[in-house]
Amino acid sequence: MIKLNINNSGIRDHELSMVQPMVETAYRTLMERTGAGSEMLGWLNLPFEYDKEEFARIKAAAKRIQEQSEVLVSIGIGGSYLGARAGIEFTKGPFANQLTGDGVEVYFAGSNISSDYVQNIFDIIGDRDFSVNVISKSGTTTEPAVAFRLFKEKLEAKYGREGAKSRIYATTDAKKGALRGLAVEEGYETFVVPDATGGRFSCLTAVGLLPMAAAGMDIDQVMQGCADACTKYNNPDLMTNDAMLYAAMRFLMLMKGKSVEILANYEPSLTMFGEWYKQLMAESEGKDGKGLFPVSANFSTDLHSIGQFIQDGSRTMFETVLWVEQSRHDLTVPNDPANVDGLNFAAGRTMQYMNEKAMKGTLLAHVDGGVPNLILTVDRLCDYTFGELVYFFWKSLAISGYMIGVNPFDQPGVEAYKKNMFALLGKPGYEDAKEALEARLSVLD
Ligand code: PA5
């Protein structure tokens, strides 16, 4: 159950009435599939239209991974990584790998180009059995391709070529790309990133579902949460549809000169959800010189660092608090007769109670400091609410993206760094660019 409270936003009713027609236009554009990027709406009815046969194979593969291995290495970057990691930490907490319970440990590789990071995962695996899920829609992304070579070599050294093949699962385009070619040639079990689904909208396809299921998440519940959100957020009415209201609020904040949205949480389990949100918002709206810059903050930790800026720095931001009503556990502050730390005023209180007071106190301080606030409340962190929240953000973002007049479903800006990197690495076809870039870089020497 998701609730949006806008009472500390500073936005007034008549402002919402003014944007209602814009929301309706954006909503129609989305649902009638007539807007920019409409060929990428595979996520829109996903919870009702997904491939059930593949879904059953995902569950079977997860079970096999759990039987054969203690560790799954999930290799991917951006949309091919963030959702799965966000889901696992959302439901199992930041120590999911140390508290695995019913699933395997899942480590994420291929989202950087660091030798130290890969070696750390080698060391963590040690002599234990492991499997690999390599995920790339294009099948050509450099970071996961490098990591896959390294982990494939490890698998082959440990299990032999044939043994390695039965431990590799490839999630990629149905027909094209280097990874599809390799998977067919080697006979890996494969899963599909659907054509009409961009990376940041793919975490509830095989891309995210296989690592999540291997980690022990109940993916039926995830899809149920997603399906219920799809049914619920199915009208353009700002009075009854919080996904639309959130879109309208973000649009109005931009109109009022805000350029930064902070998604703040008070649960370490939501740190990676904040990373997922940043990619979703930034790649969808940050184009053509427009968009809100998405930032995530982990409170109360970050109140002791960027908290100063939020309270008192340049007034460019608003804050959306992602608040969790019920914690999974309820620890209570112990009484201490000596009371040397003076903390007995809180003795007997649950940490959740204290966390809530921290949230409310911070919210009012930030509002007083000129930072408008929205509160997005979920009842608890579980498989179901993860699916629900993912769909809420997808639908809302599609509307706000159309409202600001961008194509929310492409990401042309991601290519620029890749071209330069390929040229500097000497990839065939980039020779001219290499010379020009090296001339510019000579000032760094
Ligand atoms: O959202 C996106 O499309 C990107 O972040 C991609 O997911 C990311 O670049 C990875 O691409 P691929 O899955 O093709 O390796």
Side-chain angles (χ1 to χ4, degrees), residues 173-411:
D173 187 273
K175 297 191 190 81
K176 52 184 193 304
L179 181 55
R180 170 60 57 182
L182 183 66
V184 170
E185 206 177 293
E186 300 277 293
Y188 304 148
E189 173 153 21
T190 58
F191 298 95
V192 170
V193 191
D195 271 348
T197 308
R200 58 194 176 277
F201 295 90
S202 70
C203 65
L204 302 187
T205 69
V207 168
L209 292 175
L210 180 55
M212 290 194 280
M217 281 177 69
D218 180 343
I219 59 173
D220 286 308
Q221 277 299 305
V222 174
M223 294 310 281
Q224 189 59 53
C226 183
D228 289 350
C230 182
T231 305
K232 182 172 177 187
Y233 300 115
N234 208 9
N235 69 68
D237 179 16
L238 290 177
M239 295 302 121
T240 58
N241 184 337
D242 279 350
M244 297 302 108
L245 184 58
Y246 180 48
M249 296 306 289
R250 295 180 72 251
F251 174 77
L252 285 165
M253 291 295 176
L254 193 61
M255 291 298 99
K256 284 171 178 266
K258 299 298 179 195
S259 52
V260 177
E261 179 184 25
I262 304 168
L263 186 76
N265 69 71
Y266 287 75
E267 273 300 336
S269 298
L270 289 172
T271 302
M272 284 308 300
F273 192 84
E275 297 300 312
W276 175 82
Y277 144 89
K278 285 196 303 204
Q279 187 212 9
L280 180 70
M281 297 304 187
E283 283 195 350
S284 301
E285 290 186 340
K287 54 196 71 159
D288 305 332
K290 300 183 203 172
L292 287 162
F293 186 69
V295 174
S296 61
N298 307 306
F299 292 160
S300 57
T301 311
D302 285 338
L303 292 172
H304 299 257
S305 61
I306 57 172
Q308 167 62 35
F309 194 109
I310 298 171
Q311 189 63 46
D312 210 20
S314 55
R315 301 295 74 190
T316 52
M317 76 278 283
F318 72 99
E319 192 172 66
T320 300
V321 174
L322 184 51
W323 174 247
V324 185
E325 238 160 20
Q326 300 158 34
S327 54
R328 276 188 284 263
H329 304 281
D330 239 350
L331 298 181
T332 301
V333 181
N335 185 55
D336 179 353
N339 197 26
V340 178
D341 54 10
L343 195 63
N344 273 355
F345 70 92
R349 295 291 190 195
T350 64
M351 290 183 77
Q352 176 69 4
Y353 174 88
M354 293 184 71
N355 209 14
E356 186 176 348
K357 296 298 172 210
M359 183 273 282
K360 290 185 173 163
T362 304
L363 186 147
L364 294 180
H366 288 178
V367 170
D368 291 347
V371 179
N373 234 288
L374 311 177
I375 312 175
L376 201 52
T377 302
V378 288
D379 42 356
R380 60 208 172 95
L381 299 179
C382 63
D383 302 302
Y384 179 90
T385 52
F386 178 69
E388 200 184 9
L389 211 46
V390 162
Y391 195 88
F392 175 94
F393 275 95
W394 282 344
K395 188 86 177 254
S396 186
L397 161 280
I399 300 301
S400 57
Y402 278 151
M403 286 175 80
I404 65 169
V406 298
N407 174 355
F409 309 114
D410 67 359
Q411 55 287 327

Side-chain angles (χ1 to χ4, degrees), residues 77-80 135-141 144 198-200 279 283 411 414 418:
I77 193 167
S80 293
I135 307 163
S136 176
K137 184 176 187 190
S138 62
T140 54
T141 309
R200 58 194 176 277
Q279 187 212 9
E283 283 195 350
Q411 55 287 327
V414 177
K418 290 187 192 168

